[in-house]
Amino acid sequence: MTNCWSKLKENFSSAKDRSINSLFDDTTRMDHFSAETDQFLLDFSKTNIDHEALALLIRLAEDTEVAAKREAMFAGQKINKTEDRAVLHTALRASNTVPLIVDGKDVRHGIEVTLSRMESFCRAVQSGTILASGGERFTDVVNIGIGGSDLGPAMATRALAPYHIGPRCHFISNVDGADLTDTLCGLDPRRTLVIIASKTFTTIETMTNAKSALRWLKAGVGEAVADHLAAVSTSLERTAEMGIHPTRVFGFADWVGGRYSLWGPVGLPIMMAIGPKNFREFLAGGLAMDTHFQTAPFARNLPVLLGLVGIWHRNICQYSSRAILPYDERLGRLPAYLQQLDMESNGKRVTLDGKELSHASGPVVWGEPGTNGQHAFFQLLHQGTEVAPAEFLIAAKGHEPALQEHHDLLKANCLAQSEALMLGRTYDQALAIARNLGYDGSELHTQATQRVFPGSRPSITLAFPKLTPFVLGQIIALYEHRVFVEGAIWNINSFDQWGVELGKELANMLLPMVKGAAPNGKDASTCRLLKKLAV
């Protein structure tokens, strides 16, 4: 292990009682603790990282060979060791002019062919060239998937609502029948296109929902169900069994992980909503961040710096979670999307060579849009016993110029929260407030203590001109690469997810018992619960 770890801990130990606000005695701090690309700003000046710590963090990235690992990923080397796979979601948004060889084949051409097929299909649905079985236009699209086949498309489609030009898009993921029932309620099967997204067409939640959706379609359109279906899958055999024509099946390679897949066929509902031109802009934003990640020096590299701030907070400060706080209602699903991206990638306990980690890996990721979160959990952020670094996202402009007063208030709240987390409120300040409110004696002290804010609670802010398809692409690629940087420093595999398998296996074993079979080899708790939940 690099000795940067111990030096970083020494730095933190000597400076942990220092207020973040005091670091701004250096009037040039913002210049050194922020970075920008394409008008996209990362401000991490409101953290307790000083010049020495930043230099050590950059050296840590160098010592752990982040650059070499980055180049291996972009070159298509099989960095997903446990599954013997390349990791090339970046190729889905890259230029088609430079060859990229995987297992002896150039994958660029196939990516472009699939993208062109997606575009042709979406244009035909949007224009009315492809119609529903009754000769009417499709008014609604329902995407059935789970995990990466749901979270990304659902998040991005909602985020880009001002750019919608196609049918209304809806998403079903939970195997809970309430999700399917409530989503299909009010839709007309005669004007609804259903996209079933499952790479292998075996994902039990997705296929259960798909079969129920097919029954719903058949009740409305009879035997013409195939006219209302499309699929995102690599299994032409299984999609054919469901009656889906191969021209409506869009597949992707195993070097695209589910949580990284919205850039390709899994993004079909995004393209259906915003159109191919805007989808290309979305890809361009991701590519721009890829290029920046590959070329910018570490000291000015947004994904590297964001990852290093994450390492500082998780391993040096030992904060166990991070709050994602988009001050944009349309980014309301971003925290959930980043939960999967981050926690499924870096929620690991062993290194690439199978050794127990000697330090913490991925934090808990959570959040909610501002200003709603301010009236929910910000109490804990400001005055709770646990420190949770906050990550704010804010646009200079909204999409509603007639409601500029709303956006001004949104920006003021965002900036005020990061400032309040840093500044806090001292006991003397709180005492003066309580005294002005008319308290005295022992009650004065009691009331004052309730109004003290510790302050020096770290935050970063991502600021951008406007939430466009290009900017959304930048945001997602930035966080993808942040996950990569942190995983590279921890020396873990950020691209497998064995932790989701055991529960699936046990669920399959328990299903007959839930349906009434006798419990076999189960613990007393599970047996009692099976009895309690019996219908």
Side-chain angles (χ1 to χ4, degrees):
M1 293 295 292
T2 172
N3 64 1
C4 285
W5 287 113
S6 58
K7 291 183 178 179
L8 282 164
K9 290 175 182 177
E10 289 172 8
N11 174 281
F12 175 69
S13 179
S14 64
K16 64 181 179 181
D17 295 327
R18 169 186 64 196
S19 73
I20 294 174
N21 189 41
S22 69
L23 293 171
F24 284 89
D25 291 344
D26 175 4
T27 58
T28 66
R29 177 169 175 79
M30 180 62 181
D31 297 330
H32 298 288
F33 295 86
S34 66
E36 189 167 359
T37 181
D38 291 319
Q39 302 182 65
F40 191 105
L41 173 69
L42 165 64
D43 172 17
F44 61 102
S45 61
K46 293 189 182 78
T47 68
N48 213 344
I49 299 173
D50 57 22
H51 287 281
E52 179 190 31
L54 181 58
L56 286 168
L57 286 165
I58 291 172
R59 185 176 147 197
L60 177 65
E62 293 168 347
D63 288 353
T64 51
E65 301 181 328
V66 168
K69 294 174 182 177
R70 174 189 63 194
E71 298 316 308
M73 177 178 71
F74 278 95
Q77 295 181 28
K78 294 184 177 181
I79 64 170
N80 180 351
K81 300 293 185 182
T82 62
E83 297 177 298
D84 193 34
R85 293 175 180 174
V87 176
L88 280 174
H89 51 280
T90 54
L92 297 177
R93 56 201 186 226
S95 167
N96 195 36
T97 58
V98 181
L100 180 58
I101 308 301
V102 178
D103 292 331
K105 297 180 181 179
D106 182 6
V107 302
R108 300 282 194 201
H109 177 69
I111 292 170
E112 184 60 34
V113 167
T114 300
L115 184 59
S116 296
R117 288 183 57 230
M118 291 168 59
E119 290 176 332
S120 296
F121 182 59
C122 286
R123 287 193 182 101
V125 171
Q126 290 163 345
S127 67
T129 304
I130 290 179
L131 295 171
S133 57
E136 297 179 289
R137 285 178 179 254
F138 287 107
T139 56
D140 295 274
V141 172
V142 174
N143 187 81
I144 299 177
I146 198 166
S149 298
D150 169 78
L151 282 166
M155 178 275 295
T157 300
R158 175 175 171 178
L160 298 177
Y163 298 90
H164 286 194
I165 60 172
R168 296 182 294 267
C169 289
H170 315 268
F171 297 86
I172 297 171
S173 58
N174 199 328
V175 75
D176 184 346
D179 192 11
L180 183 134
T181 299
D182 292 350
T183 302
L184 298 183
C185 179
L187 300 186
D188 183 351
R190 296 169 300 178
R191 305 189 70 177
T192 299
L193 175 70
V194 174
I195 300 171
I196 304 167
S198 171
K199 183 182 284 189
T200 61
F201 243 52
T202 59
T203 310
I204 189 166
E205 297 95 336
T206 298
M207 301 320 297
T208 300
N209 280 327
K211 290 172 184 175
S212 296
L214 259 63
R215 288 194 294 270
W216 174 79
L217 280 174
K218 191 170 184 177
V221 303
E223 297 304 316
V225 170
D227 292 339
H228 294 255
L229 294 177
V232 175
S233 177
T234 57
S235 179
L236 288 174
E237 181 180 347
R238 289 193 176 97
T239 55
E241 290 173 358
M242 195 170 280
I244 304 174
H245 195 277
T247 59
R248 293 190 179 189
V249 179
F250 305 89
F252 56 100
D254 63 7
W255 34 257
V256 179
R259 57 193 174 278
Y260 297 91
S261 62
L262 80 170
W263 310 98
V266 167
L268 185 63
I270 308 173
M271 186 187 287
M272 196 68 73
I274 67 175
K277 182 176 182 296
N278 283 323
F279 191 82
R280 290 270 185 176
E281 278 295 299
F282 171 65
L283 298 182
L287 176 59
M289 189 58 71
D290 291 344
T291 303
H292 172 77
F293 180 45
Q294 289 181 282
T295 59
F298 282 2
R300 310 303 301 167
N301 191 307
L302 271 69
V304 172
L305 291 170
L306 188 59
L308 293 178
V309 172
I311 293 290
W312 169 262
H313 287 151
R314 184 69 181 109
N315 297 116
I316 309 305
C317 305
Q318 298 185 11
Y319 301 143
S320 61
S321 76
R322 59 175 63 131
I324 307 297
L325 308 170
Y327 272 65
D328 189 310
E329 181 63 22
R330 294 188 176 108
L331 284 175
R333 292 291 288 164
L334 182 66
Y337 171 75
L338 294 181
Q339 280 178 346
Q340 186 197 24
L341 176 65
D342 200 319
M343 295 168 72
E344 193 167 83
S345 296
N346 287 345
K348 307 294 172 60
R349 54 182 290 276
V350 297
T351 63
L352 280 166
D353 54 3
K355 296 178 181 177
E356 292 271 354
L357 283 172
S358 59
H359 46 71
S361 60
V364 174
V365 178
W366 57 284
E368 184 77 11
T371 56
N372 290 26
Q374 293 175 202
H375 296 268
F377 52 79
F378 273 48
Q379 169 64 45
L380 184 146
L381 291 181
H382 285 289
Q383 291 185 310
T385 56
E386 296 287 331
V387 175
E391 303 189 359
F392 296 94
L393 295 93
I394 185 69
K397 294 182 180 179
H399 286 276
E400 292 76 29
L403 299 173
Q404 185 60 40
E405 180 182 358
H406 289 249
H407 199 69
D408 289 344
L409 184 59
L410 189 72
K411 289 190 288 187
N413 272 275
C414 180
L415 298 179
Q417 291 299 324
S418 66
E419 186 179 30
L421 285 167
M422 178 181 69
L423 294 179
R425 178 185 287 155
T426 67
Y427 175 76
D428 288 342
Q429 291 170 328
L431 197 66
I433 292 170
R435 187 175 289 115
N436 288 338
L437 291 172
Y439 295 106
D440 57 17
S442 61
E443 186 65 14
L444 177 62
H445 169 73
T446 300
Q447 290 289 338
T449 58
Q450 304 301 316
R451 290 167 170 78
V452 172
F453 289 65
S456 281
R457 302 209 159 182
S459 69
I460 65 169
T461 300
L462 298 171
F464 40 89
K466 194 175 186 178
L467 185 59
T468 63
F470 184 89
V471 166
L472 182 64
Q474 286 180 301
I475 292 171
I476 297 172
L478 170 65
Y479 274 100
E480 286 179 346
H481 295 323
R482 187 252 197 102
V483 166
F484 174 86
V485 169
E486 292 179 348
I489 291 173
W490 290 323
N491 193 33
I492 60 178
N493 186 351
S494 299
F495 302 103
D496 62 10
Q497 55 281 328
W498 300 110
V500 305
E501 298 300 323
L502 179 57
K504 290 181 181 179
E505 295 169 11
L506 294 176
N508 288 332
M509 293 170 58
L510 275 161
L511 185 57
M513 302 176 202
V514 168
K515 292 182 175 181
N520 182 20
K522 293 300 176 183
D523 59 88
S525 169
T526 302
C527 290
R528 178 68 180 272
L529 289 168
L530 282 167
K531 185 177 180 180
K532 182 68 176 177
L533 295 173
V535 177

